[in-house]
């Protein structure tokens, strides 16, 4: 496993396991399988309603807590200083842990400045080992990172071969903030799993399309958290450090970039309206 050092010196595995859309009743089994496959980082969120299952599986695993890196996110209904502060304690309780390794603000909407102050406070109290944001596009990201005391360690944004975040990553790099990819396989959108370029490159290395797509991101110094509920795919997605893409292959994959979201554009007013409707998630 490759580790990356965040801007506060904390080490994070470059490859983790994400549990978005994993049913609360399935989360325990999935995390148990993922830990068995070798993953040591798990990405959950208050809005996924499966922090309890994640925490229970980590506890039951018998693996030292210090060896597992837990990521969670505060949902927008818990923004504002007071609510965010209380919700951090709730996440700690659900995850059955005394600290969360990385806590993010899930979306750049509602009172995120107030919520970020609660993150900073919990970080100073030792409840959080690192703090950051998610889905902050360069405009929101630069604004926040320039006006807080603790610069975000991570910005978790949609990043895959069709939405590579080349320019956004440069802005994050300027602040020493690591890019963490959500949807590293684009959830299969845009025909990712049958893409001819990825298939051809995979053939050369004896690797699957998924492995090529994930390896590409790690070679660009992006942290990734692919998701699958199947143990064999968890293993496949984990097994990406035994080959290397050549500079030519990297260029060919770079050319697949459409530089736009395969899901929704956070700068689109309709997206903002959609999230206001999801405040009660
Ligand atoms: P993903 O790109 O990881 O795709 C997952 C899907 O791809 C699976 O459900 C499965 O259908 C397919 N798949 C996975 N491995 C495969 C393989 N080896 N072969 C064939 N098919 C395969 O999508 P995701 O789950 O949306 O993103 C990963 C994680 O990122 C999430 O679980 C979550 O933790 C995080 N996330 C965060 C946000 C956010 O707003 N911060 C949004 C979405 C996801």
């Amino acid at each position: 496993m490759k580790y990356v050092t965040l801007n506060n010196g904390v080490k994070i595995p470059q490859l983790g396991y994400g549990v978005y859309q994993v049913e609360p009743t399935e989360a325990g089994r999935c995390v148990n399988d993922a830990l068995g496959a070798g993953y040591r980082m798990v990405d959950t969120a208050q809005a996924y309603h499966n922090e309890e299952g994640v925490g229970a599986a980590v506890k039951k695993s018998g693996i030292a807590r210090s060896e597992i890196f837990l990521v969670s996110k505060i949902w927008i209904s818990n923004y504002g200083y007071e609510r965010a502060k209380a919700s951090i304690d709730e996440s700690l309780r659900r995850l059955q842990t005394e600290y969360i390794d990385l806590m993010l603000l899930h979306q750049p909407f509602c009172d995120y400045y107030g919520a970020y102050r609660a993150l900073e406070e919990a970080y100073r109290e030792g409840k959080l080992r690192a703090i950051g944001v998610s889905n902050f596009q360069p405009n929101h990201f630069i604004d926040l990172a320039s006006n807080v005391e603790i610069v975000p360690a991570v910005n978790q944004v949609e990043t895959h071969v069709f939405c590579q975040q080349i320019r956004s990553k440069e802005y994050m790099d300027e602040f020493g903030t690591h890019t963490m990819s959500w949807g590293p396989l684009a959830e299969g959108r845009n025909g990712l799993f049958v893409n001819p370029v990825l298939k051809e490159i995979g053939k050369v290395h004896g690797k699957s399309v998924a492995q090529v797509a994930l390896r590409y991101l790690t070679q660009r110094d992006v942290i990734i958290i692919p998701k699958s509920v199947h143990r064999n795919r968890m293993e496949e997605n984990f097994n990406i450090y035994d080959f290397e893409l050549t500079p030519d292959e990297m260029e060919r994959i770079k050319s697949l970039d459409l530089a736009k979201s395969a899901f929704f554009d956070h700068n689109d007013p309709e997206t903002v309206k959609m999230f206001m409707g999801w405040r009660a998630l």
Side-chain angles (χ1 to χ4, degrees):
M1 169 57 62
K2 187 179 167 193
Y3 281 77
V4 168
T5 304
L6 299 176
N7 62 7
N8 65 349
V10 165
K11 287 192 165 48
I12 179 174
Q14 191 188 30
L15 167 60
Y17 175 65
V19 293
Y20 175 47
Q21 290 171 328
V22 173
E23 291 297 325
T25 50
E26 270 276 273
R29 194 272 301 165
C30 286
V31 171
N32 186 51
D33 280 357
L35 294 173
Y39 291 84
R40 288 295 178 270
M41 187 240 290
V42 181
D43 178 85
T44 182
Q46 294 172 350
Y48 302 169
H49 302 294
N50 56 21
E51 286 177 309
E52 263 138 347
V54 171
V58 167
K59 195 130 219 188
K60 228 173 113 187
S61 71
I63 301 168
R65 174 68 187 84
S66 57
E67 280 183 37
I68 297 176
F69 196 101
L70 283 178
V71 185
S72 194
K73 314 180 196 81
I74 301 183
W75 188 245
I76 53 177
S77 52
N78 288 326
Y79 279 12
Y81 171 74
E82 290 296 342
R83 289 179 86 109
K85 184 179 153 89
S87 89
I88 292 167
D89 287 339
E90 276 300 295
S91 283
L92 287 166
R93 184 188 60 75
R94 285 191 294 267
L95 287 162
Q96 298 186 48
T97 181
E98 285 176 2
Y99 63 89
I100 293 168
D101 295 279
L102 174 63
M103 192 69 156
L104 309 175
L105 298 187
H106 207 147
Q107 301 289 346
F109 307 122
C110 305
D111 181 9
Y112 55 81
Y113 267 97
Y116 200 87
R117 279 202 306 281
L119 282 187
E120 291 180 317
E121 188 177 284
Y123 173 78
R124 290 193 187 97
E125 289 170 353
K127 292 178 180 176
L128 311 175
R129 291 180 68 226
I131 60 175
V133 294
S134 177
N135 293 303
F136 278 55
Q137 307 306 301
N139 51 354
H140 285 125
F141 173 75
I142 294 166
D143 175 30
L144 184 87
S146 307
N147 288 291
V148 291
E149 286 174 17
I150 302 170
V151 173
V154 158
N155 186 8
Q156 184 182 118
V157 287
E158 176 187 348
T159 313
H160 45 76
V161 295
F162 304 121
C163 179
Q164 300 191 13
Q165 304 286 11
I166 307 269
R167 188 72 189 105
S168 300
K169 185 172 179 304
E170 285 168 4
Y171 285 120
M172 292 181 232
D173 288 347
E174 277 178 37
F175 285 86
T177 301
H178 274 84
T179 303
M180 183 187 263
S181 146
W182 68 252
L185 298 168
E187 291 183 9
R189 291 184 187 206
N190 297 355
L192 183 138
F193 293 117
V194 291
N195 182 275
V197 173
L198 300 176
K199 261 173 127 171
E200 206 180 296
I201 294 173
K203 228 177 203 171
V204 174
H205 295 278
K207 288 286 175 183
S208 68
V209 162
Q211 289 170 322
V212 172
L214 296 174
R215 179 70 205 182
Y216 174 73
L217 297 178
T218 61
Q219 282 188 217
R220 279 193 53 226
D221 291 326
V222 172
I223 300 166
I224 57 170
I225 43 170
K227 171 242 173 184
S228 174
V229 294
H230 305 292
R231 169 86 188 231
N232 61 330
R233 284 181 174 168
M234 292 177 194
E235 286 172 3
E236 179 184 331
N237 297 343
F238 191 73
N239 189 15
I240 58 165
Y241 287 105
D242 58 354
F243 75 113
E244 189 160 340
L245 300 168
T246 64
D248 176 60
E249 289 166 340
M250 291 295 287
E251 276 309 308
R252 286 173 65 200
I253 301 174
K254 192 176 179 193
S255 72
L256 298 178
D257 191 15
L258 302 172
K260 64 173 192 192
S261 170
F263 296 84
F264 33 69
D265 173 3
H266 277 76
N267 290 319
D268 180 347
E270 290 303 319
T271 301
V272 184
K273 280 167 80 178
M274 182 179 78
F275 275 99
M276 293 308 106
W278 289 352
R279 261 180 297 195
L281 263 188

